[in-house]
Amino acid sequence: MVTLADVARHAGVSASTVSYVLSGKRSISEETRRRVERSVAELGYHPNAGARALAAKRSHIIALVVPLRADVYVPIMMQIAISVTMTARQHGYDVLLITNDEGPEGVRRVAVSGLADGVILMDVGLADERIPVLRELRTQAALIGLPDDRSGLSCVDHDFTAAGALCADHLADLGHREVAFIGYGSGVYQRHAGYAERTLMGFRERAEERGLRFVHRPCEGTYESTAGTLARILADRPDTTGFVVQNEGAIGPLLSLLRISGRTVPEDASVIALCPELLAEQYAPALTAVTGPAQELGRVAVEQVLKRIAAAGRDETPDDELVLLRPVLTVRESTGPHRSRTPSQS
């Protein structure tokens, strides 16, 4: 990363002269000013916005990186973003919301500009390509998500591994032995989104422990894709009686398609969703669901990044924190004991 001292050496002036040119606080000769500006342009130097603003050591801004993709459930992302904003204001910080999916370069741009004292990343992948930039630039950051390598980072997330295990246990306890896991679209798994892969891992491990025969099928979440997914499941595993859905878009179509196929919920098929409480309660029958507090994710992430900023300000090495929020399974009307289907029902 190019520093102010690099610009000074390139321009053949002192660091203070470069600072005066950038801040405009002192009169500098036209020739010297142009020489410094040429060096800034040629070296690609990004002056620190926080230092420029009233010579403050901090900007009191946190950057929140929220890549809004077509395959994410936007209401939850916005709920977390609102929680981050409200918590930050309680601590005297504003939030810079970055919604365009710029990847590593977007993170680099914010980090080197000095616009923010710290960064919060959302929608974190297991090997997220934005994280090496944070480490390279020594940016204080908190992640809402859990990468495989969290060294030098603070992370908060739902315990998705435990959430998947809760689903498998519930179906096993009800006597179901043939189950299906309907997940997000293939793109979510291709980018190794932590929330999707960890849930599936927790479900798979517990299902194997409990002797469940299961199949996992990605689904794009439209009515057509859900219909195709269900048709393939029933063609391959016609005795499937338990369904776990981690895809908000697929829930409504699945319930409708099960009715059309002659399978009554929960008498003939049990359905568990991983979704927010309000969404689970709006369906008929009301859904048994595994949920977690979205607002808590935002609150903890802000507190984590502020701790790191404060420690760095004292020239101390910040502690790496990991907070996993416990999932809760709420039993409603969509799950019930397994019962064998008669030939006329198949």
Side-chain angles (χ1 to χ4, degrees), residues 27-57:
S27 177
I28 302 295
S29 71
E30 183 68 15
E31 179 185 351
T32 300
R33 183 180 61 79
R34 289 180 178 176
R35 191 161 72 245
V36 169
E37 289 174 347
R38 281 197 300 270
S39 295
V40 167
E42 291 174 16
L43 296 177
Y45 174 65
H46 296 273
N48 186 292
R52 263 200 326 267
L54 302 178
K57 290 184 178 179

Side-chain angles (χ1 to χ4, degrees), residues 19-326:
S19 179
Y20 294 145
V21 169
L22 296 176
S23 67
K25 286 188 174 182
R26 288 194 183 182
S27 177
I28 302 295
S29 71
E30 183 68 15
E31 179 185 351
T32 300
R33 183 180 61 79
R34 289 180 178 176
R35 191 161 72 245
V36 169
E37 289 174 347
R38 281 197 300 270
S39 295
V40 167
E42 291 174 16
L43 296 177
Y45 174 65
H46 296 273
N48 186 292
R52 263 200 326 267
L54 302 178
K57 290 184 178 179
R58 296 181 185 174
S59 65
H60 289 278
I61 293 174
I62 297 171
L64 176 63
V65 184
V66 190
L68 298 181
R69 300 183 174 95
D71 55 16
V72 302
Y73 189 58
V74 174
I76 285 293
M77 302 292 275
M78 289 298 96
Q79 193 174 357
I80 297 171
I82 290 170
S83 176
V84 167
T85 302
M86 294 178 65
T87 305
R89 286 305 309 142
Q90 292 171 4
H91 292 275
Y93 272 74
D94 290 313
V95 173
L96 172 65
L97 188 64
I98 303 172
T99 57
N100 50 326
D101 188 15
E102 297 182 64
E105 288 311 308
V107 173
R108 182 182 298 277
R109 176 174 57 82
V110 172
V112 300
S113 70
L115 285 170
D117 297 330
V119 174
I120 295 175
L121 293 188
M122 294 177 62
D123 193 20
V124 175
L126 298 182
D128 200 299
E129 59 184 2
R130 298 170 296 178
I131 293 175
V133 177
L134 297 175
R135 292 196 176 107
E136 173 195 343
L137 301 177
R138 298 182 180 181
T139 303
Q140 301 310 319
L143 276 54
I144 299 178
L146 184 60
D148 281 337
D149 180 8
R150 60 181 186 86
S151 59
L153 302 166
S154 291
C155 305
V156 57
D157 205 357
H158 296 308
D159 191 341
F160 285 105
T161 304
L166 280 176
C167 295
D169 276 335
H170 183 62
L171 290 176
D173 290 344
L174 291 171
H176 297 276
R177 288 296 174 263
E178 295 272 356
V179 300
F181 188 108
I182 298 176
Y184 287 107
S186 57
V188 174
Y189 298 98
Q190 288 170 3
R191 71 171 187 267
H192 301 292
Y195 57 88
E197 296 214 359
R198 293 186 188 280
T199 305
L200 181 59
M201 179 180 67
F203 176 80
R204 176 183 288 116
E205 291 177 351
R206 188 59 54 84
E208 291 173 349
E209 291 174 8
R210 299 295 301 269
L212 301 182
R213 187 167 181 259
F214 70 93
V215 62
H216 166 239
R217 291 289 183 267
C219 179
E220 299 305 321
T222 63
Y223 187 92
E224 293 75 13
S225 63
T226 307
T229 298
L230 180 61
R232 288 190 295 274
I233 290 171
L234 296 179
D236 295 340
R237 306 283 179 87
D239 295 328
T240 299
T241 59
F243 295 86
V244 177
V245 189
Q246 189 182 27
N247 185 328
E248 292 83 359
I251 295 172
L254 176 64
L255 293 174
S256 176
L257 289 160
L258 286 171
R259 285 193 296 269
I260 292 171
S261 71
R263 289 168 168 80
T264 303
V265 177
E267 288 82 0
D268 303 317
S270 286
V271 178
I272 305 176
L274 294 114
C275 70
E277 292 278 349
L278 289 177
L279 191 61
E281 293 172 350
Q282 77 178 30
Y283 289 102
L287 291 169
T288 293
V290 176
T291 59
Q295 298 94 331
E296 191 74 358
L297 291 174
R299 182 189 66 79
V300 173
V302 171
E303 292 176 353
Q304 285 181 332
V305 75
L306 292 182
K307 288 179 186 176
R308 300 189 70 91
I309 292 169
R314 298 190 299 267
D315 292 326
E316 299 174 0
T317 301
D319 294 329
D320 298 345
E321 291 187 347
L322 171 61
V323 176
L324 291 180
L325 304 179
R326 184 186 299 275

Side-chain angles (χ1 to χ4, degrees), residues 326-341:
R326 184 186 299 275
V328 175
L329 186 147
T330 302
V331 179
R332 296 187 179 88
E333 301 168 356
S334 67
T335 55
H338 169 265
R339 70 174 191 177
S340 299
R341 290 172 60 83

